[in-house]
Amino acid sequence: MDARFLGIADLVEVPSVAVVVDVMRAFTVAAWAFARGAEKIVLAESLDEALALKARHPDWVALKDGPPAPGFDAVNSPGLLRSADLGGRTVVQKTTAGTVGALAVKDASLVLCAGFVVAQATVQLLRTRRSDTVTFVVTGEDGQADEDLACAQYIARRVTEGGTGAAEFLRRAAESRAAAELAQGMRQGVHPDDVALCLELDRFPFAMVAASEGSLMVLRPHTMPSPAGDAPI
């Protein structure tokens, strides 16, 4: 498998298969939303679109980066979301980097959204596709976020080298600028457990697949069977 690692601004053509990585915190939050019962997540282009969708569907849960704001029900924090009851609900998510990255590759034949919490399930799904080329979209810090790059590199390595360990990749993520800013309270809408939750390897047994449904880009969980082994493709 030829793995390419690009920032959002570096995407000059539509990839065949894209894995959009946002560890801290968009796709860790998305995974928690599914774990708390959400049926689907609509990835919004803008805050205005998120609020418009919420206005048309009052029962939907609108979620954003930063501090709480009028019209939004939740913030982009796994620590704050993990106790929510989202059974059967639709979540509308708008974040600074993760949702932007997913929408940038919406025309790809397969779009996966990932973080460490769904790494192995993402690996399994990529193995089933046996794609020659996979583009990993490193969403944070204009493609320089080491937590996202580390996660992307870990997933790519696991696809072809099943015995690859996670320790070094998790260490890089733990020492990243995003982790420091979250731990030091430099960002708003943060729970003290957010960094630890973002670094939980394979917490959930599903991958997350984004696809167009009508005019919307919708993220849904894709549960993978328990692997019989860990042989690379």
Side-chain angles (χ1 to χ4, degrees):
M1 183 187 78
D2 177 22
R4 301 175 182 177
F5 305 93
L6 300 174
I8 298 170
D10 300 321
L11 294 164
V12 296
E13 59 185 20
V14 177
S16 174
V17 176
V19 180
V20 187
V21 181
D22 190 327
V23 172
M24 297 184 188
R25 295 164 285 170
F27 298 137
T28 301
V29 167
W32 270 101
F34 290 130
R36 299 303 301 163
E39 177 186 355
K40 63 184 179 183
I41 297 175
V42 175
L43 304 177
E45 293 265 7
S46 66
L47 295 175
D48 286 344
E49 183 189 25
L51 289 174
L53 288 167
K54 171 71 176 180
R56 291 200 297 272
H57 306 277
D59 58 323
W60 288 11
V61 177
L63 180 155
K64 64 177 281 292
D65 268 338
F72 287 89
D73 306 288
V75 295
N76 191 46
S77 161
L80 294 171
L81 195 72
R82 62 183 166 177
S83 60
D85 180 4
L86 300 175
R89 305 285 292 278
T90 293
V91 173
V92 180
Q93 186 180 34
K94 169 66 180 86
T95 70
T96 305
T99 58
V100 176
L103 289 164
V105 293
K106 63 182 179 181
D107 294 325
S109 61
L110 175 65
V111 179
L112 306 180
C113 295
F116 283 110
V117 292
V118 294
Q120 184 58 29
T122 305
V123 168
Q124 288 178 252
L125 187 50
L126 288 171
R127 285 178 178 168
T128 66
R129 286 294 297 253
R130 296 182 177 270
S131 301
D132 292 332
T133 302
V134 176
T135 297
F136 289 85
V137 183
V138 180
T139 61
E141 299 176 30
D142 297 322
Q144 302 301 310
D146 202 35
E147 74 280 4
D148 294 340
L149 182 58
C151 184
Q153 291 172 336
Y154 172 68
I155 291 170
R157 188 82 60 83
R158 289 282 293 189
V159 173
T160 56
E161 302 175 27
T164 300
E168 176 61 18
F169 301 94
L170 289 168
R171 181 196 63 77
R172 286 168 52 193
E175 295 176 358
S176 67
R177 185 167 79 174
E181 290 180 352
L182 289 170
Q184 295 167 13
M186 297 172 64
R187 301 186 184 187
Q188 294 181 295
V190 177
H191 187 280
D193 293 341
D194 277 358
V195 172
L197 292 172
C198 290
L199 298 178
E200 284 192 319
L201 185 66
D202 305 329
R203 172 74 187 244
F204 305 114
F206 51 80
M208 299 187 293
V209 181
S212 296
E213 297 185 14
S215 62
L216 302 175
M217 188 70 165
V218 176
L219 188 63
R220 293 182 183 272
H222 184 95
T223 301
M224 301 300 297
S226 298
D230 199 23
I233 63 172

